[in-house]
Amino acid sequence: MQDGPRLPGVDDREGEDRIVLHVDADCFYASCERLREPELEGEPVVVGMGYEPGETAGAVATASYEARTFGVESAQAISAALERLPRRVDAETDPEIALEESGHYRPVDMEYYQSVAAEVREILHDCADVVREVSIDEAYLDVTERTAWAVADGFARHVKNRIQREVGVTVSVGVAPTMSAAKIASDFEKPDGLTVVEPGSVREFLAPLSVELLHGVGPVTARELRAMGLETAADVAAADPRTLEGRFGERGRELYDRARGDDDRRVEPKGLPKSFSRESAFAEAVEEPEPKYDRIETLAAAVAERATREGALYRTVGVKAVTPPFDVNTRERSLPGPVDDPDLVARIARELFAEFEDVPVRKLGVRVANLEFVAAEQASLEGWESAGGVGESSSGSSKTGEEPSASERANQSCGQSSLGDFS
Ligand code: TTP
Ligand code: MG
């Protein structure tokens, strides 16, 4: 439907190799900071929460590649980052700290990053008929109708260069006939990477890669695969699919297919998510309140961060407690208006969970729902900035962005109504 009218028979693309691009910005938040503070170019830059002077609580959102050489990385505690890379401002006054071994720390400014992301998206929608936005700095493009395999690398370079020239951030691009191979390819030569995996060579490309690079394999699955003697994609591709299915269920089959380069998913424009949730299981049922509340806090923070990253406000906060044997209990509370307020999520989640504090619980979850997506360029983000929380939304329903640039984007340039988000 999103490809426009098709003539039956004439445009039967069955069996044709798609040309899929996966575009992912390099150290995105840090690149954004460099855009408005060009002195940071080439310097170690760390972006995260809790960087106000005297603060050591908080976590790293991202680090520039220079900062990564010191061992600073996403999701690290700020205290750990500071051990590896002291603040530049401290190095300037403390002769004990070498200037070249210090870095620039900046707090997260989602509103600004969303505005940069909107500019990138505008270019992506201009370059492709079908775009699936996956996160603030990442998207899949189906450009089969726009180019040909013989010149696909030139096309991808054109997209890269446009983003660099018109927005000023660097992206890495992977080109492949499948979404999963394109994603792996975009990561292959980061930063500033461009990797093309030609049709027919996907399996060969994947073969030497270690299993955690496969789509859907996290540290836990990777450990299990290793325990089964499967270290690389080639090992998984050569394994008995029934063994994998026996071990991982349906996901085992998917792993097997992906390792062999089989992935027939089409790039589909994304519908808006209805909720964000995170769950976590204990090794065995836990009765004491402390570890359960700790887990609730961690999940609440993760869910709130995800919502922030996606530019979503939420009106409902919920928890889930699975009690033995398999009773799933959910509780939720609605707020007077949509908010982006991590502390509030944590507080409400704790309150909702209170009735389970003394019963054995084997699994926990936190969810935010009733989402509203706010165009980054709308002035309404003030509500979120003031961190006030529950206040009423100045946001969601207003469709008239203050600044035309991004609200005019894609809808007009490629005539799709499928963009879903931010409208
Ligand atoms: P990523 O694309 O995963 O990371 P990145 O763009 O910083 O670096 P890379 O060059 O490896 O792609 O995530 C995009 C942004 O999302 C990132 O700049 C900051 C934010 N983010 C977090 O806030 N917390 C996290 O744990 C991660 C992984 C990302
Ligand atoms: Mg990125």
Side-chain angles (χ1 to χ4, degrees):
M1 90 196 187
Q2 55 278 61
D3 291 350
R6 284 186 167 186
L7 299 176
V10 177
D11 204 2
D12 180 8
R13 306 235 161 225
E14 200 66 58
E16 189 205 32
D17 288 308
R18 311 300 300 176
I19 307 175
V20 178
L21 264 58
H22 181 259
V23 178
D24 186 310
D26 301 324
C27 55
F28 183 58
Y29 295 2
S31 302
C32 292
E33 293 298 337
R34 285 171 165 168
L35 265 185
R36 58 180 174 187
E37 219 182 320
E39 314 84 81
L40 298 180
E41 206 54 61
E43 294 278 335
V45 178
V46 182
V47 179
M49 295 299 190
Y51 293 149
E52 297 68 32
E55 281 263 5
T56 49
V60 174
T62 196
S64 72
Y65 281 77
E66 293 80 0
R68 292 181 198 190
T69 64
F70 292 89
V72 180
E73 58 187 31
S74 291
Q76 195 167 55
I78 167 71
S79 51
L82 285 168
E83 269 168 35
R84 291 164 173 82
L85 183 71
R87 296 171 203 270
R88 178 63 53 93
V89 282
D90 293 337
E92 277 160 0
T93 52
D94 184 348
E96 300 273 289
I97 309 172
L99 266 188
E100 60 281 8
E101 287 174 15
S102 66
H104 305 266
Y105 285 73
R106 295 291 179 269
V108 171
D109 179 354
M110 281 315 293
E111 188 176 354
Y112 180 58
Y113 310 151
Q114 291 283 4
S115 74
V116 177
E119 288 178 38
V120 174
R121 269 200 298 272
E122 194 170 357
I123 296 172
L124 298 181
H125 283 277
D126 202 32
C127 294
D129 301 308
V130 188
V131 178
R132 184 185 186 99
E133 285 135 17
V134 184
S135 75
I136 189 168
D137 84 327
E138 185 188 348
Y140 293 93
L141 279 57
D142 188 323
V143 298
T144 315
E145 321 295 330
R146 299 280 186 115
T147 184
W149 269 109
V151 292
D153 61 336
F155 186 92
R157 186 157 301 286
H158 165 76
V159 175
K160 242 174 97 61
N161 290 347
R162 259 195 79 181
I163 295 169
Q164 176 71 68
R165 198 173 58 239
E166 295 177 27
V167 185
V169 299
T170 313
V171 299
S172 291
V173 180
V175 188
T178 64
M179 290 175 73
S180 46
K183 172 147 175 88
I184 294 169
S186 74
D187 218 24
F188 203 63
E189 296 174 276
K190 247 183 185 298
D192 201 13
L194 173 55
T195 300
V196 180
V197 185
E198 304 267 348
S201 65
V202 174
R203 190 165 166 186
E204 194 185 331
F205 167 73
L206 298 175
L209 305 181
S210 73
V211 287
E212 49 265 276
L213 292 176
L214 288 175
H215 184 79
V217 177
V220 177
T221 310
R223 227 176 5 253
E224 292 180 47
L225 288 167
R226 292 230 153 76
M228 296 166 75
L230 308 175
E231 302 268 343
T232 63
D235 295 339
V236 178
D240 184 340
R242 283 163 304 186
T243 312
L244 290 165
E245 267 172 331
R247 182 68 201 76
F248 301 103
E250 217 168 280
R251 217 160 60 83
R253 181 77 212 190
E254 195 177 299
L255 273 174
Y256 175 76
D257 289 340
R258 295 291 150 76
R260 298 167 73 86
D262 298 335
D263 175 8
D264 56 12
R265 290 174 303 156
R266 284 290 191 101
V267 180
E268 308 268 7
K270 179 161 78 167
L272 287 174
K274 300 268 185 281
S275 65
F276 297 113
S277 63
R278 278 285 184 91
E279 294 188 3
S280 170
F282 293 109
E284 51 190 56
V286 171
E287 213 163 331
E288 317 79 75
E290 267 306 294
K292 290 185 293 202
Y293 279 118
D294 283 354
R295 196 67 69 91
I296 287 281
E297 298 256 345
T298 309
L299 295 170
V303 163
E305 194 238 21
R306 176 83 200 283
T308 305
R309 224 186 316 157
E310 303 280 346
L313 305 174
Y314 31 85
R315 263 172 185 277
T316 301
V317 177
V319 298
K320 170 167 157 181
V322 180
T323 51
F326 299 104
D327 297 323
V328 179
N329 309 278
T330 58
R331 301 288 181 267
E332 63 176 43
R333 184 182 303 165
S334 290
L335 307 168
V339 298
D340 172 353
D341 185 340
D343 292 339
L344 188 66
V345 176
R347 205 177 77 221
I348 294 178
R350 287 183 65 104
E351 288 171 13
L352 291 171
F353 184 71
E355 65 177 286
F356 303 100
E357 73 177 19
D358 293 318
V359 298
V361 170
R362 62 159 75 219
K363 194 179 198 182
L364 286 173
V366 175
R367 185 173 98 106
V368 294
N370 228 328
L371 304 179
E372 252 177 52
F373 290 79
V374 188
E377 64 276 14
Q378 285 182 326
S380 55
L381 285 185
E382 286 149 19
W384 137 4
E385 275 265 282
S386 65
V390 191
E392 72 267 324
S393 159
S394 46
S395 56
S397 49
S398 156
K399 299 229 175 192
T400 45
E402 293 288 310
E403 293 165 13
S405 67
S407 51
E408 279 176 349
R409 72 194 150 92
N411 280 338
Q412 287 174 10
S413 58
C414 62
Q416 291 184 19
S417 55
S418 50
L419 299 177
D421 63 344
F422 306 114
S423 60

